[in-house]
Amino acid sequence: MTIYGYGRVSTAGQALYVQLKLLREAGCQTILCEKESGAKVDRPELAKLMRRLRPGDVVIVAALDRLTRGG
């Protein structure tokens, strides 16, 4: 079992450091991050994460809106 973390910010002016800190504290072994809008369908790091997942793996995000478009 691998514990993955996924972090995303929408704009270049936003910082990932808060999400990264939370993901490390949660015990994530591998963390994938990107600066992409949640509205974009093509998010390369999220796609990479989804391809890596195997049964029993865990994905942790700092907030659910990091996986989807926030509102």
Side-chain angles (χ1 to χ4, degrees), residues 36-49:
E36 298 285 350
S37 168
K40 278 188 78 175
V41 175
D42 181 33
R43 287 190 267 154
E45 293 300 305
L46 180 58
K48 185 188 303 183
L49 171 62

Side-chain angles (χ1 to χ4, degrees), residues 1-70:
M1 173 183 85
T2 302
I3 301 173
Y4 290 98
Y6 176 73
R8 178 184 63 82
V9 292
S10 299
T11 64
Q14 294 176 324
L16 280 164
Y17 67 88
V18 173
Q19 291 180 53
L20 292 173
K21 181 178 183 295
L22 291 170
L23 295 171
R24 286 186 194 109
E25 289 173 355
C28 295
Q29 299 159 322
T30 301
I31 299 173
L32 291 94
C33 312
E34 56 198 344
K35 292 185 178 185
E36 298 285 350
S37 168
K40 278 188 78 175
V41 175
D42 181 33
R43 287 190 267 154
E45 293 300 305
L46 180 58
K48 185 188 303 183
L49 171 62
M50 299 305 287
R51 286 191 304 270
R52 289 184 180 184
L53 292 176
R54 300 293 176 254
D57 287 349
V58 174
V59 176
I60 298 175
V61 292
L64 283 177
D65 68 348
R66 300 300 81 202
L67 285 176
T68 63
R69 183 177 176 98

